[in-house]
Amino acid sequence: MVKAPRAISILSGGLDSVVALFDFIKKNPNGEVHAITFDYGQKSAEMEINASKKICKYLGIKHSVLNVKWLGKLGTSALTTDKEIPKLKISDLEDKEKCEKTAKMVWVPARNIVFTAIASAFAEAENAEKIIVGWDREEASTFPDNSKEFLSAFNNLLAIGTMSNINIEAPLIDMDKHEIVKLGKKYGVPFEFTYSCYQGFEKHCGVCESCVRRKRAFKLAKVEDPTEYMK
């Protein structure tokens, strides 16, 4: 009898991590998943946690919220300080220099390294073989900790640094946001439960980079966007 796979899902409640989670569940209907959501002092913490809780309740899977607020106290990210979050227009997404600049403004020091290391500890402790992440090609263009190189390097690290056979799976690693929306539509993802805004308002601000990428993704995918935007 084939053993049902166990996985730890790093879940923010946003499009990418939610679709990646659905991908695992659809491909492993008998699998077990423990989703973990991080509160690192980000402005959107409450909304991300609420979105993640809704998704996990919808799927009937275990969910834990982890307090790592010390991480948000490091550096000067606009996500965790009183600095203003940069605003963009859809046309700005084609300006790589501008996007690299805004990425630096919201960069949280070693965030994905910390998150993935903690998820690795959960995986080893719970005998999970997989860690599910929402890293994707579009994000990797400005955030190096979403890239194939980062994925490969971390999997090499796990092979050396753990006493278990743990593998990070990033099913969206070769996808842009609109392709992720299309996949989510195929899987029946309740997009209305997801949350992407950096600001943490009840409604999406509509002008932070995450909101703008979300808007464009639904538009390019020709999928109805259930999101309420302020602008």
Side-chain angles (χ1 to χ4, degrees):
M1 185 175 178
V2 178
K3 179 185 174 185
R6 288 184 176 179
I8 303 297
S9 164
I10 300 178
L11 185 67
S12 71
L15 286 176
D16 306 333
S17 63
V18 170
V19 174
L21 171 58
F22 268 73
D23 182 82
F24 173 81
I25 290 173
K26 293 293 183 181
K27 292 176 179 175
N28 302 277
N30 297 317
E32 295 180 39
V33 187
H34 180 185
I36 57 177
T37 301
F38 294 96
D39 179 354
Y40 56 97
Q42 71 272 38
K43 291 170 180 171
S44 57
E46 182 179 355
M47 296 302 293
E48 288 182 15
I49 292 167
N50 288 342
S52 297
K53 283 181 177 178
K54 287 178 183 177
I55 290 294
C56 291
K57 183 178 180 180
Y58 180 87
L59 293 170
I61 63 173
K62 183 178 180 182
H63 180 233
S64 297
V65 177
L66 305 183
N67 185 332
V68 290
K69 290 184 179 179
W70 57 266
L71 180 60
K73 295 177 182 178
L74 303 177
T76 58
S77 173
L79 299 187
T80 57
T81 67
D82 58 4
K83 288 189 174 182
E84 185 178 355
I85 290 174
K87 298 181 177 72
L88 292 175
K89 294 178 285 191
I90 287 180
S91 59
D92 292 328
L93 298 178
E94 302 302 325
D95 187 335
K96 192 170 189 298
E97 186 176 335
K98 187 165 190 174
C99 288
E100 286 176 347
K101 183 179 178 180
T102 58
K104 288 179 181 178
M105 293 170 71
V106 299
W107 178 261
V108 177
R111 182 177 61 178
N112 275 358
I113 294 175
V114 172
F115 289 178
T116 313
I118 292 173
S120 302
F122 271 79
E124 194 160 30
E126 298 182 11
N127 296 315
E129 304 90 1
K130 301 177 185 297
I131 297 169
I132 310 302
V133 297
W135 307 340
D136 65 84
R137 180 171 59 198
E138 184 169 325
E139 295 281 353
S141 65
T142 48
F143 294 100
D145 57 359
N146 270 252
S147 66
K148 278 187 171 181
E149 292 79 6
F150 184 76
L151 173 64
S152 177
F154 218 111
N155 272 326
N156 288 337
L157 176 65
L158 291 178
I160 298 167
T162 66
M163 296 182 73
S164 305
N165 183 23
I166 302 168
N167 188 62
I168 304 167
E169 287 195 354
L172 317 179
I173 200 75
D174 290 316
M175 295 185 184
D176 291 330
K177 295 277 187 182
H178 71 282
E179 295 170 307
I180 294 168
V181 169
K182 285 183 179 179
L183 183 62
K185 176 71 173 178
K186 174 185 173 184
Y187 286 154
V189 171
F191 290 122
E192 67 273 15
F193 291 167
T194 64
Y195 187 84
S196 303
C197 184
Y198 286 156
Q199 294 281 10
F201 301 139
E202 187 172 342
K203 293 181 180 180
H204 286 63
C205 75
V207 291
C208 70
E209 183 170 346
S210 188
C211 278
V212 173
R213 288 191 183 279
R214 181 183 177 106
K215 277 183 179 178
R216 184 177 71 167
F218 277 100
K219 185 176 180 180
L220 291 177
K222 297 180 180 178
V223 171
E224 183 180 355
D225 186 354
T227 314
E228 286 190 80
Y229 298 103
M230 296 169 66
K231 293 183 180 180

